Amino acid sequence: MSNTPMAANPLTRAVLEIDEYASGLGWDQPARLFALVDTARLRAQEPSLAAQLGLMDEPETTGLTPIEQDEVPTDKALDEFLATIAWPDAVVGCALTVERLMLPPSAEAQVPQGLSEAKLSKWVAEHPDRQEVRMTVAVLRDGTRESALRLREKDAPTDVLTGGNLVPGLAEALSATFEE
């Protein structure tokens, strides 16, 4: 993807590429799951697929290629869905992009106690300080993590925050998809 900024490592580049792809689809999108495969291995073992993905002419010899998977079901909790996933050996990592509402830490003291999950979601959705955020989280089999966060109100590639521990719970759930 031509607008993806260069990053220090292949996992960060993959996360930013997925973030850019999701950004091009607009907001209010369902969660999207991606397998991450070694680009050089993909070129060598699946040249027709690599050609179809436009990877044969790229000069880079290292990197990760995100491959979008089937739709994430909307009728099942995300953690329940992720618990059903097992990846083949060719998949070196996975990533998920999902939109959520977020509150600043200052709002934690205001959260009413004893709310059901549905009522808590409604309370957050109506909170004046809520922020819509798109989170892209990726993990490798070896435990390496990377994330990208994009706020809807600052929807620009230069305003994407990256870091390995931005969404630890989601990273843990994705890591569990590689456990046997």
Side-chain angles (χ1 to χ4, degrees):
M1 303 224 169
S2 59
N3 294 328
T4 302
M6 284 306 295
N9 68 64
L11 186 57
T12 303
R13 284 194 301 274
V15 164
L16 290 172
E17 183 178 329
I18 293 167
D19 173 75
E20 181 183 357
Y21 168 74
S23 176
L25 298 172
W27 285 87
D28 304 317
Q29 296 292 314
R32 295 179 186 284
L33 180 67
F34 299 82
L36 299 176
V37 297
D38 179 271
T39 303
R41 186 174 171 189
L42 179 64
R43 282 187 201 144
Q45 295 179 349
E46 299 286 343
S48 61
L49 178 58
Q52 183 181 355
L53 295 173
L55 300 174
M56 295 309 281
D57 297 329
E58 291 191 14
E60 189 176 333
T61 57
T62 62
L64 298 167
T65 298
I67 300 175
E68 188 170 1
Q69 303 301 290
D70 292 333
E71 287 187 21
V72 175
T74 56
D75 62 340
K76 186 182 261 191
L78 191 56
D79 58 340
E80 290 175 22
F81 167 69
L82 291 175
T84 67
I85 294 175
W87 298 103
D89 290 341
V91 174
V92 298
C94 65
L96 183 81
T97 184
V98 64
E99 296 175 15
R100 291 291 185 256
L101 291 177
M102 223 173 57
L103 292 176
S106 60
E108 282 185 34
Q110 303 168 8
V111 177
Q113 297 298 313
L115 292 181
S116 67
E117 191 171 328
K119 287 183 180 180
L120 179 60
S121 294
K122 185 177 189 289
W123 184 84
V124 170
E126 294 172 350
H127 196 283
D129 295 331
R130 73 187 177 283
Q131 293 282 324
E132 290 180 74
V133 63
R134 181 181 303 117
M135 302 175 285
T136 303
V137 179
V139 299
L140 297 179
R141 282 185 187 271
D142 69 6
T144 305
R145 301 171 174 190
E146 187 61 78
S147 305
L149 296 179
R150 182 187 291 245
L151 294 175
R152 188 170 190 157
E153 76 174 23
K154 294 183 177 188
D155 193 3
T158 56
D159 289 327
V160 175
L161 178 65
T162 60
N165 293 313
L166 298 177
V167 192
L170 187 51
E172 284 295 323
L174 289 171
S175 291
T177 66
F178 291 103
E179 294 174 2
E180 295 184 24

